[in-house]
Amino acid sequence: MLKVEKVTVAYGRATALREVSLVVNDGEIVTLIGANGAGKTTLLNAVSGGIPLKSGAIWLDAHKLSGLPLHKTVRLGLGYVPEGRQIFGAMSVMDNLTMGSYSLCAQNRLSALGYIGWFIRRPSVQSNLELVFRLFPILRERLNQHAGSLSGGEQQMLAIGRALMSSPRMLLLDEPSLGLAPTLVREILKLLARLRDEGLTILLIEQDATAALKIADRGYVMERGRITIEGTARELLGDDRVRQAYLGKAVA
Ligand code: ATP
């Protein structure tokens, strides 16, 4: 589904990605592993459209993503859950979810005034909302609350829910467990596995590499802007280099 071909990205003179290539197949969870500064977030931003490529190309099925801005990649089927969640704290939970479906509205070229009526009637928006509430029942209870007043775990659920509102085929997640208690981390990762089982394709950056590999199908290790190791999740969990550098002693 996603193909990254020899992508190089630079911030001024500093090269952050050097000829990075990877694929994510339909229905897979693929995880990116690497130390701070390895280039994982830059890669996700390059895919979602946040930063221009110096060279290389990115494809989502037959669509060339390279050079497209974020709002266009969302319309092509990418859902992005950025690092630090970036929810709209002063807006209600419902308004945050509504914002997530805006790309569906923009596709129909509606004016802002026509939007609310369209939103309420649109079957895909309703079914996306039902999906979000089924996955995160707590959000239904918090619907009119300011998003900024939610707990860290609830905010992460909202960030994922907001991304699901655009009917994505593929979800990009940047460290969804950041700042969450271990039980919540497990809950969020279990949920990602469930979404994959329901047909969503996922590219995941996760600081808890062991937990990520336990739900992933495949993974890539990044070091200083390059892919250095790739394999199935099982292969990476058993790879001595990966175990020593990224998995600690927790892996049996
Ligand atoms: P982390 O886990 O800390 O987020 P990462 O693997 O996601 O790390 P990136 O954030 O992609 O790594 O950073 C890759 C390199 O690019 C680092 O050397 C970083 O300092 C640099 N970098 C990232 N963003 C910028 C920026 N906006 N301007 C300049 N350099 C940047």
Side-chain angles (χ1 to χ4, degrees), residues 11 16 35-43 83 175:
Y11 298 104
N36 287 346
K40 306 178 301 296
T41 296
T42 301
L43 179 55
E83 191 171 13
E175 305 215 7

Side-chain angles (χ1 to χ4, degrees), residues 107-140:
Q107 232 163 9
N108 291 280
R109 299 180 191 283
L110 289 180
S111 69
L113 275 178
Y115 178 51
I116 297 297
W118 171 87
F119 175 80
I120 291 164
R121 288 191 308 272
R122 175 90 183 173
S124 62
V125 173
Q126 287 306 323
S127 61
N128 287 346
L129 261 184
E130 284 310 315
L131 169 71
V132 172
F133 294 152
R134 180 163 62 78
L135 296 170
F136 307 114
I138 192 78
L139 292 183
R140 195 197 290 268

Side-chain angles (χ1 to χ4, degrees), residues 33-180:
I33 298 168
N36 287 346
K40 306 178 301 296
T41 296
T42 301
L43 179 55
L44 236 56
N45 284 338
V47 171
S48 64
I51 21 177
L53 312 186
K54 194 171 170 192
S55 60
I58 301 176
W59 300 86
L60 183 71
D61 295 326
H63 302 283
K64 195 169 185 184
L65 297 185
S66 356
L68 291 183
L70 185 64
H71 68 278
K72 290 202 172 154
T73 62
V74 170
R75 279 187 220 167
L76 288 174
L78 283 184
Y80 186 35
V81 184
E83 191 171 13
R85 298 155 202 155
Q86 299 184 25
I87 56 161
F88 305 109
M91 290 166 65
S92 70
V93 168
M94 183 62 185
D95 286 344
N96 270 270
L97 293 173
T98 307
M99 291 300 289
S101 66
Y102 186 75
S103 64
L104 297 178
C105 161
Q107 232 163 9
N108 291 280
R109 299 180 191 283
L110 289 180
S111 69
L113 275 178
Y115 178 51
I116 297 297
W118 171 87
F119 175 80
I120 291 164
R121 288 191 308 272
R122 175 90 183 173
S124 62
V125 173
Q126 287 306 323
S127 61
N128 287 346
L129 261 184
E130 284 310 315
L131 169 71
V132 172
F133 294 152
R134 180 163 62 78
L135 296 170
F136 307 114
I138 192 78
L139 292 183
R140 195 197 290 268
E141 291 170 32
R142 304 270 191 267
L143 219 47
N144 297 315
Q145 240 174 271
H146 277 158
S149 70
L150 300 180
S151 70
E154 289 164 357
Q155 289 189 12
Q156 189 59 64
M157 292 173 195
L158 179 58
I160 297 173
R162 184 181 57 184
L164 292 174
M165 289 298 293
S166 65
S167 305
R169 291 181 295 138
M170 179 170 187
L171 210 52
L172 310 172
L173 296 113
D174 196 343
E175 305 215 7
S177 76
L178 202 67
L180 301 186

